[in-house]
Amino acid sequence: MRWRNGDQGYGIVTKVLHWATVALLVAQLAVGYVMDDDADVPDVDCDPAGEDRSGGDTTDAEEDRFDQLEEACEQAQDVREQDADDAVGSAWSDLWSGGGSDGGAAGILDASGGLGLPAWHVLLGLAIVAIGVLRVVWRRTTPLPPWDPRLTRTDRKVLHHAERTLLAMLFVVPATGIALVVGSTDLLPLHIAAHLCFYAALVAHVGVVVRRRTVGRMIWGRASAVR
């Protein structure tokens, strides 16, 4: 097994970068979806006990106490929902400032003292950008191996455009995501469009390598190139 690409196929570095990218993307998607589920704050019934007796069975003082309890409960619920919505943005700020050591939904650490899901979401996004840079640098300094003979001319065109799109999305998706958490909501349509482009390119890429049975060549054998 050689370090660099050649006639023998993909080298070790290319394979490690490829599968490290896959692992980071899977982890990022898993964290993102789990985090979205956790961010759904359950509804709380803010009607204080005994309020059903309001009216002729309660005094004005009791009515005022019920109103204050209900208002305080609703304000606390609003804070919880806002913290959940701003969790990623708070984690981004805390990671750069070194804050958030007290944990909580919007801090770096969770209740057990480990990194919270929002912090992992931010770190994984930065790691994806970093590995994208490494892949671009490696691609520009290392020639690609020959095409796999099982790939048709159409397959090669599909893989070429899909691979370029996937590589571009390694930068566009995290960059627009970071812009969103720091307050640039104008980029939300671009962020959503980048996700759609990523999934479309991924389906095209996986469809070809599975149909032509070339996926194993990125693991152990002579590999096909994506130009």
Side-chain angles (χ1 to χ4, degrees), residues 47-110:
D47 292 335
E51 190 182 32
D52 55 340
R53 297 185 295 106
S54 295
D57 296 335
T58 57
T59 65
D60 291 342
E62 286 181 306
E63 288 288 347
D64 290 341
R65 183 174 66 85
F66 288 147
D67 290 341
Q68 291 174 1
L69 290 173
E70 185 173 1
E71 183 178 356
C73 175
E74 291 174 348
Q75 290 178 349
Q77 180 70 1
D78 290 341
V79 170
R80 285 192 293 269
E81 292 176 354
Q82 184 175 358
D83 285 344
D85 291 339
D86 296 342
V88 175
S90 298
W92 169 263
S93 300
D94 291 341
L95 283 167
W96 284 111
S97 65
S101 59
D102 56 343
I108 295 177
L109 305 181
D110 58 19

Side-chain angles (χ1 to χ4, degrees), residues 152-172:
T152 66
R153 184 176 181 181
T154 300
D155 292 334
R156 296 177 184 184
K157 287 183 178 180
V158 170
L159 288 176
H160 169 78
H161 293 296
E163 190 258 1
R164 290 204 169 202
T165 300
L166 289 171
L167 189 59
M169 293 306 102
L170 294 183
F171 298 97
V172 178

